Amino acid sequence: MKKDIILAGVGGQGILSIATVIGRAAVANGMFLKQAEVHGMSQRGGDVQSHLRISTDPICSDLIPEGKADLIISVEPMEALRYLPMLHEGGWIITNNVPFKNVPNYPADADLEAAMKKVKNMVAFNADALAKEIGSPRSANMVILGAATIQLGMPYEEFEKAVREIFASKGDAIVEANLKALALGREQAR
């Protein structure tokens, strides 16, 4: 099994947390893992993207060639579309459909919606609203990750275990909120 994943969003949206959870789940499953540096201006709310490669076989490069990504996981719709050329023909996009309008020339909502409708394999939904629904607005990234777990080919329990480990130092309430967000995202994608 091999998955080449592009993680995309805006600085501060939790891209690194998504990568960490996937990475821990992969390692727990005896898989190889390579991750490229996060690129972008994360300190300034700029675009952020990272390459994450997991496989049952050794991985030579941490960079995913154009047109070879299996999955784009994004917490911002324009950022998902920005990396569309990285996706192979049968690849999937899992994204929040709520824009983070941090640039003056951000596309009009109708244009963004039209572009998203052209993508064959896309799961797009309001992760922000679902995170707020469970009283944890900062866990929208875990909602998106939960939706992506279906495409990642690993036992769901490994993602739950990774969330527990990663957020343990922040207390039980944060762990439980992120586990709820993960489960809600998975259910939304079904």
Side-chain angles (χ1 to χ4, degrees), residues 74-153:
S74 179
V75 288
E76 206 287 328
M78 185 179 77
E79 295 306 322
L81 294 171
R82 178 190 309 263
Y83 298 104
L84 197 55
M86 297 298 293
L87 199 63
H88 72 70
E89 192 175 311
W92 281 82
I93 294 179
I94 312 292
T95 188
N96 190 356
N97 66 7
V98 178
F100 184 84
K101 296 182 180 183
N102 60 337
V103 292
N105 60 345
Y106 196 95
D109 291 347
D111 294 340
L112 192 61
E113 239 179 86
M116 290 173 65
K117 285 181 180 178
K118 292 179 183 177
V119 179
K120 179 181 171 187
N121 297 325
M122 179 179 283
V123 175
F125 59 94
N126 188 333
D128 291 353
L130 292 176
K132 286 177 187 170
E133 183 180 302
I134 60 169
S136 183
R138 293 187 62 190
S139 63
N141 63 330
M142 290 296 115
V143 174
I144 291 298
L145 175 58
T149 60
I150 295 168
Q151 296 294 325
L152 290 170

Side-chain angles (χ1 to χ4, degrees), residues 35-112:
Q35 181 180 359
E37 287 182 27
V38 173
H39 301 282
M41 298 182 297
S42 61
Q43 294 294 329
R44 299 183 186 162
D47 67 286
V48 176
Q49 63 103 1
S50 181
H51 294 216
L52 181 62
R53 305 183 85 187
I54 57 176
S55 177
T56 51
D57 297 315
I59 303 165
C60 296
S61 172
D62 55 355
L63 296 177
I64 301 166
E66 189 170 317
K68 300 294 184 185
D70 300 298
L71 183 62
I72 295 173
I73 301 173
S74 179
V75 288
E76 206 287 328
M78 185 179 77
E79 295 306 322
L81 294 171
R82 178 190 309 263
Y83 298 104
L84 197 55
M86 297 298 293
L87 199 63
H88 72 70
E89 192 175 311
W92 281 82
I93 294 179
I94 312 292
T95 188
N96 190 356
N97 66 7
V98 178
F100 184 84
K101 296 182 180 183
N102 60 337
V103 292
N105 60 345
Y106 196 95
D109 291 347
D111 294 340
L112 192 61

